[in-house]
Amino acid sequence: SEVQVPLGVPCNGLASRPGCVPFPLRPYGVKKPYKEVIDICWGDAHSGGTKPLTFVRQVIAVCIYPELLQETTIAPDVKERARRLLRECPGGSVGKYCVCGIPFVQDGVCEFISKRDGGVPISPLHTGSPVQFVLKLLVHGKGLAQTGVLTPIPCYPTFVMGLTELGAAMVPYYLCEDDGWCLHVEELRRALATSRSHCNPRILYVINPGNPTGHVQSRESIEEVIRFAAEEELFIFADEVYQDMMYAEGSQFVSYKKVLFEMGPQYSNTVELASFHSVSKGIMGECGLRCGYVELVNLDPSVKQSVTSAFNTERNTAVIGQIALNIMVDPPKPGDPSYPTFSQETVEALPGTSFQAGSGGIYAYLRLDLPQKALLQAKEEGTDPDLMYCSRLLEEEGVCLVVGKEHGQQEGTYHIRICIGTTSTRLKEVLRRLKSFHLRFLNEFS
C-alpha cells in the first residue's frame, strides 16, 4: 500500500490557495503508508467528494444545450424549469449579456426571503457576487478617515485579504471560544473603542452560521448586536451563506433581517443592513458558479441610487450562476418528479452525519491542547506550533488541514480547521488518520 509522494508540496496547488500556509519543502520519493493525500482544508464541496445535485446540473445542461429538451431520460420538471428560465433570459440564450440580472430570478429570491422571514417587506435586491463589490462601494479614506471593518476572529482568510486589497482597516473582535464561540457585545465595544485611535469604524461584519467555528447565533444575540449597531451607527454586513446547513439538535437559523424587523420601527427603519447568501456554499456547493444575492436595508436614498447604478453599469451577472440561484431559492417540491432524488442527495450532502461540531456550516474548528515539549520543539524549529502539527500530519498521514493561525486566534491557543462538507466515507478516513497521528504526536511529546 506504500506510495511515493512529493512531500511538502501539497497536491492540487494547496500551498498557493488563500488561507493555506506553505509547508516546509521535503525531498521527493519518500515512501508513505497511504495511497492519496486528502485535502480536507478547502470549503469546496465538490472537490471534497460531494456529488453535484442532479436537478441543478440537468437544468443548467438543458439551458446551455436546449436540444436536450428532446431527451426522454430528462425529467419533465427539469424541462419545465429550463424552458421557463430560457424564456426569461435576454434573447432566450444563456450566452447573452445580462447587465441588470434576470427579473424572474430576482422575483424568486424575493419570494424566498419573504417566506423565510415571515412576510417582512423586501428591500432592494441585487444578484451576482456581491460581498466584495458592496465593500468596495463603502470603503474609502486614509488615516483616521480610513473605513474600519469590525471582523470576527477567527474568520476565513479570503475576507481579510479582501479588506487589505480594498484599503480597509480590519478591526478584530474575538469570539468567545469558552462560550461556544459566542459573539459578546462587550467584546465589540472593546474593539470599537480601540480602533477609533487609528481609523473610522463604519462596518460590522458578522458570519452566521460561523466560518470556521460553526456557531449559530441565537435570536437574543442578534438583537444585542443590532442594538449595538444602532447605538454606534454601524452598517451590519450579515454573511448568512450557511443558513441551510443546520444540523445540531435544537439549532435554528434566524436571519438578521427577520430579527431587525421584529424589533420595531426604532431599529427596522434606521439600522443599515446588507444580507448575503450564495450558491457557492451550503447545500448547493456550486463554488465555481460564483453567484448569490445581497438585500440592502435602510440605505440612504442617494447611496441606494449609487449602489443600484454601480450594479447595473459595472456588473454583468453570469447567467448560469443565476440559474443555480433560482434553483437554490426554489428547489423541487414534494410531488415533483425530481423531488425524491433531490431530497436524497441533499440529505447525503449535509455535514455532521458522522461527525458533528458546532451547530451549522461546513467546518469543524478544533482546538489543539499541545504538550509543552511540542511548543518548545516548534520554537526551536522557528515555526508556529499548529503549523508544525499540520505539516507533520500531512507528511505522516497525508491529510491537509488549515492552520488556525490563518483564521486568527487568541495568543497562546492553537487550532485546526476541518471541512466536514464531504462524504461520510472520506470524513471517516480523515478522522481515522487524524486520530492515529494525534495519539503518536502526544506520545512523542509527553
Side-chain angles (χ1 to χ4, degrees), residues 4 81 158 167 238 258 267 344 374 381 394 411:
Q4 294 185 349
R81 181 71 66 93
T158 50
K258 178 179 175 65
Y267 300 100
Q344 181 62 31
E381 294 181 7
L394 175 62
E411 185 72 24

Side-chain angles (χ1 to χ4, degrees), residues 6 59 74 104 137 144 185 304 341 369 381 383 403 410:
V59 171
I74 295 179
F104 172 69
L137 295 175
L144 291 177
V185 169
K304 185 187 303 183
T341 299
D369 295 318
E381 294 181 7
T383 188
V403 178
Q410 290 278 15

